[in-house]
């Protein structure tokens, strides 16, 4: 059987919805049914994880709903309104399971709050049988103290078997100049009332560089992009919305430092040295909170590895971590609102934007593409040289060094991605990713073991509880060490895959100019 | 998908009022319901203010070409397949093949609807024909309104014989006392005598002006803006049908 149809229209500004009702009253008996008012708040993560999956998270009255863009419901749950939601706030409901897979550790925050008033009508034939349903809707978005009205809408619903009546109503709507709204456009409407634009943040790092761009202009474009990222995440870090604001902030800082380091030889020395010092400071003051976050994010996994008897002790450890975090965060906020930080950003922006800046003089007027080619090849060869040296009994530090070299190479590739052929670049990055994931996991496990060992060393055997706690820590450290051993064993095969001739030829070809055309020409 | 037939060989016992109000009640619980008006008089269609489309008729129904003639009522979750005057000879139209196969016609026609509806309610004409055999065969449950009089009980007996003839189990039938007037001695004594018989439901529907007036207001009793005692009776009835036959 065919599904029952529905259609939405928007009124143009200044149009009175009553005009439509009056027109329809000439063809049908029109009766107003119910009026309904409701407030709906739409949520998403800062990087639009739900929007990317074409989903909406809506809180209204006492219910929470995950809905697709086409209006169909995925799952619903009871829940009161909150300023933000994590998946674990909705534990033991189907909704939380669905959210966990999409938003992970990110918080859902309000994107737009809408107050909607709907007037329902039924259109009847001369037997007073309802042959179509109509709803006039008006929505207002609340943004702080500002209230913004959206153009009014009309929603028309077919009643099965009364196709011609439905068609008549649509015809009247078109005749009056109402603008048809698709489902997607209905969703876009909601977001148009927000201060933000969907997907204005998130997604992979990419800066479009023209093939002929100079070194100075390229550095400026990349670094302005990165400092924008820092500033966008700054608020979320200070308000402590979720752990990823700080993570993204640090990534932007790390990339900036990496670029300064990679291009050190062509950048003005004194200025560069100053910025390197300041960004190093910024990296170091953001470290403690991030390290704690990484550990806290592992909490469920750690507890899952331990028997019940040892979990209590572990919980105490995490409570202590959380308490320390409060203090660490306070310090971090102080740093991020300090004069030193404000000076850094102001001077940095000036260095990147001022037409008289040293950045746009001397050697930095040369073509960036040539430099990028040379640097990429050099870093790649260096990386492979180091990697080839590693064997079964190499110390762990060798892998850590390799990881850092790999990161530098990857950042380089990401900075200058737009110079190269998209397919070749993506293939190469895919090979690199597997190896880097292996090295990254290895490093993470080292860091975690270090934190736990530090704690273990600091314990004094006071009582049975402390002994139990020490057992838990010891047990956990062994499990992590074991995991790390297995990852180390996988390194050999993963590295071999990466360092084979095919991959070497790929990067040589890529850099040699197989894709040497303007970045903006490629899609 | 469950098929519930509201059937009696006697007229004027409350079949249409029952099917109209049970269909409404079922839809209110969230089920997707189709009410089929099999009676050429078209009373159920009248109550819901639905007329058949011009091109609809008996032969289209029997060919299985009837989906586009289903119409939505004013109530969410409830559709209606309206009656058509040509249904008066539906039994003759069905009766043109092997006896066993003839009984399956309706079940075959309704089967493809299983993904569209949770429940189909058949408002049946008051006769004993091959159409009745079809209805009894197709239905998961045959709801029989019985006015508590001697003659009604005789009609029930006849129905049970018919069930046996078409090889259906007796427990398909759920009878209930309809249009009950407790002040009448015959009504109360018959109800007293039979109320423990498993074939009779505990719920019953009293005679109410409210139900009679459905023809004036043309809507199910439960949809009235005022509180309805009648709708409570139908809700009880529906609940019992669900518990005893629909396993919900």
């Amino acid at each position: 059987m065919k599904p029952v149809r529905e259609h939405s229209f928007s009124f143009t500004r200044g149009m009175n919805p009553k005009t439509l009702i009056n027109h329809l009253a000439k063809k049908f008996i029109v009766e107003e049914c119910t009026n309904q008012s409701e407030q709906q708040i739409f949520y998403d993560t800062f990087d639009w994880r739900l929007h990317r999956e074409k989903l909406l998270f809506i809180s209204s009255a006492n219910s929470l709903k995950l809905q697709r863009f086409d209006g169909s419901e995925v799952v619903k749950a009871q829940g009161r309104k909150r300023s933000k939601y994590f998946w674990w706030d909705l534990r033991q409901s189907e909704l939380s399971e669905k959210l966990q897979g999409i938003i992970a550790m990110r918080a859902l925050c309000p994107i737009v709050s809408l107050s909607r008033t709907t007037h329902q009508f039924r259109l009847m034939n001369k037997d007073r049988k309802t042959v179509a349903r109509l709803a006039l809707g008006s929505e207002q978005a609340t943004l702080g103290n500002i209230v913004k009205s959206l153009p009014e809408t009309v929603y028309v619903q077919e009643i099965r078997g009364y196709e011609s009546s439905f068609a008549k109503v649509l015809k009247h709507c078109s005749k009056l100049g109402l603008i048809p709204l698709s489902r997607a456009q209905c969703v876009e409407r909601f977001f148009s009332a927000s201060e933000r634009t969907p997907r204005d943040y998130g997604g992979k790092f990419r800066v479009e560089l023209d093939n002929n761009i100079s070194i100075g202009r390229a550095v400026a474009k990349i670094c302005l992009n990165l400092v924008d990222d820092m500033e966008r995440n700054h608020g979320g870090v200070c308000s402590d919305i979720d752990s990823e604001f700080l993570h993204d902030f640090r990534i932007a800082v790390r990339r900036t430092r990496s670029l300064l380091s990679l291009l050190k030889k062509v950048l003005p020395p004194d200025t560069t040295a100053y910025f390197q010092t300041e960004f190093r400071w910024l990296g170091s003051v953001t470290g403690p909170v991030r390290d704690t976050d990484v550990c806290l994010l592992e909490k469920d996994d750690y507890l899952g590895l331990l028997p019940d008897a040892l979990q209590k002790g572990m919980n105490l450890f995490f409570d202590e971590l959380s308490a320390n975090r409060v203090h660490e965060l306070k310090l971090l906020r102080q740093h991020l609102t300090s004069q030193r930080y404000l000076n850094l950003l102001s001077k940095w922006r000036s260095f990147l934007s001022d037409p008289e800046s040293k950045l746009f003089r001397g050697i930095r007027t040369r073509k960036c593409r040539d430099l990028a080619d040379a640097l990429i090849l050099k870093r790649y060869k260096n990386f492979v040289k180091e990697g080839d040296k590693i064997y079964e009994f190499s110390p762990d530090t060798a892998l850590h060094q390799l990881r850092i070299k790999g990161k530098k190479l990857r950042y380089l590739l990401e900075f200058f991605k737009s110079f190269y052929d998209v397919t070749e670049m993506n293939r190469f990055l895919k090979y690199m990713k597997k190896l880097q994931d292996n090295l990254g996991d290895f490093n993470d496990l080292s860091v975690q073991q270090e934190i736990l060992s530090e704690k273990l060393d600091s314990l004094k055997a006071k009582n049975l509880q402390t002994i139990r706690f020490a057992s838990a820590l010891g047990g956990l450290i062994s499990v992590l060490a074991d995991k790390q051993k297995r990852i180390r064993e996988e390194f050999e095969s993963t590295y071999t895959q990466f360092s084979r001739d095919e991959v070497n030829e790929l990067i040589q070809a890529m850099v040699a100019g197989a894709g040497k055309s303007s970045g903006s020409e490629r899609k | 998908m469950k098929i519930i037939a509201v059937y009696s060989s006697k007229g004027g016992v409350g079949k249409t009022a029952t099917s109209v109000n049970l269909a409404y009640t079922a839809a209110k619980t969230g089920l997707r319901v189709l009410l089929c008006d099999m009676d050429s008089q078209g009373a159920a269609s009248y109550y819901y203010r639905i007329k058949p489309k011009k091109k609809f008729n008996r032969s289209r129904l029997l060919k299985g070409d009837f989906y586009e003639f289903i119409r939505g009522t004013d109530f969410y979750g409830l559709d209606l397949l309206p009656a058509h005057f040509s249904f008066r000879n539906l039994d003759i139209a069905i009766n043109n093949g092997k006896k066993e196969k003839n009984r399956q016609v309706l079940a075959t026609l309704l089967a493809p609807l299983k993904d569209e509806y949770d429940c189909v309610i058949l408002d049946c004409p008051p006769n004993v024909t091959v159409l009745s055999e079809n209805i009894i065969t197709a239905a998961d449950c045959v709801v029989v309104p019985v006015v508590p009089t001697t003659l009604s009980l005789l009609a029930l007996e006849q129905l049970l014989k018919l069930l046996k003839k078409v090889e259906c189990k007796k427990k398909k039938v759920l009878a209930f006392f309809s249009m009950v007037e407790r002040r009448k001695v015959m009504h109360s004594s018959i109800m007293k005598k039979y109320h423990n018989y498993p074939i009779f439901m505990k719920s019953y529907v009293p005679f109410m002006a409210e139900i009679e007036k459905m023809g004036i207001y043309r809507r199910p009793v439960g949809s009235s803006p005022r509180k309805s005692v009648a709708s409570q009776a139908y809700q009880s009835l529906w609940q019992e049908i669900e518990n005893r036959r629909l396993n919900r």
Side-chain angles (χ1 to χ4, degrees), chain A residues 1-2 120 122 124-131 133 157 159-163, chain B residues 48-51 53 67-68 70-76 79 113 116-117 218:
Chain A
M1 267 177 24
K2 287 184 200 160
Q120 310 265 15
R122 46 193 203 128
M124 298 180 278
N125 62 17
K126 54 186 189 321
D127 278 338
R128 294 192 73 90
K129 168 74 182 74
T130 307
V131 294
R133 290 199 180 92
Q157 192 179 42
I159 302 275
R160 185 177 296 287
Y162 295 95
E163 297 84 5
Chain B
Y48 277 110
R49 302 174 187 260
I50 292 177
K51 286 183 178 146
K53 283 186 186 174
Y67 304 139
E68 64 182 278
I70 293 173
R71 296 190 121 166
T73 65
D74 285 10
F75 311 103
Y76 283 109
D79 290 346
L113 292 172
E116 306 289 341
Y117 298 102
R218 297 177 78 184

Side-chain angles (χ1 to χ4, degrees), chain A residues 265-328:
Chain A
K265 289 187 177 155
V266 297
L267 293 173
D270 296 340
T271 332
T272 309
Y274 164 74
F275 286 121
Q276 278 186 304
T277 309
E278 292 306 280
F279 280 111
R280 192 180 313 128
W281 162 78
L282 196 51
S284 70
V285 301
T286 53
V289 175
R290 179 60 191 166
D291 286 345
T292 308
D293 280 348
V294 167
C295 221
L296 286 170
L297 285 168
E298 296 298 321
K299 180 176 168 183
D300 283 348
D301 286 346
Y302 281 179
L303 291 175
L305 290 169
L306 292 171
D308 290 346
L310 296 179
Q311 282 188 18
K312 194 175 166 187
M314 213 56 217
N315 269 318
L316 287 171
F317 169 67
F318 284 112
D319 290 344
E320 205 182 291
L321 268 187
S322 296
N324 286 345
R325 190 183 181 277
V326 172
H327 171 70
E328 284 159 4

Side-chain angles (χ1 to χ4, degrees), chain B residues 78-114:
Chain B
L78 178 56
D79 290 346
L80 183 135
L81 180 66
H84 190 266
F85 193 54
S86 60
F87 285 10
R88 68 194 186 283
N89 294 322
L90 203 47
D91 53 333
I92 297 170
I94 289 172
N95 214 4
N96 61 1
K98 271 191 184 165
K99 266 195 179 156
E100 291 75 27
K101 212 171 167 194
N102 281 346
R103 280 186 219 134
Q104 305 289 342
V105 169
L106 193 57
T108 310
L109 286 176
L110 294 175
L113 292 172
K114 67 176 175 18

Side-chain angles (χ1 to χ4, degrees), chain A residues 3 11 15 43 62 80 92 147 158 160 178 188 226 239 420 427 455 460-462 515:
Chain A
F11 288 91
M15 203 183 225
Y43 291 74
N62 282 323
R80 55 184 179 81
Q92 279 145 28
V147 175
E158 185 184 29
R160 185 177 296 287
L178 271 59
E188 276 166 33
L226 291 171
S239 311
Y420 304 105
R427 265 179 67 208
K455 182 65 196 169
K460 293 180 177 58
K462 276 184 260 187

Side-chain angles (χ1 to χ4, degrees), chain A residues 43-44 48-58 66-74 102 183-184 187-188 191 198-199:
Chain A
Y43 291 74
D44 207 335
W48 301 96
R49 290 183 188 198
L50 291 180
H51 194 280
R52 286 173 209 283
E53 298 297 319
K54 297 194 168 52
L55 293 171
L56 300 167
F57 181 88
I58 307 169
L66 190 64
Q67 187 180 296
R68 293 180 196 92
F69 278 7
D70 67 8
S72 59
E73 193 180 279
V74 178
I102 304 166
R183 281 244 190 236
V187 172
E188 276 166 33
F191 292 113
R199 305 194 198 184

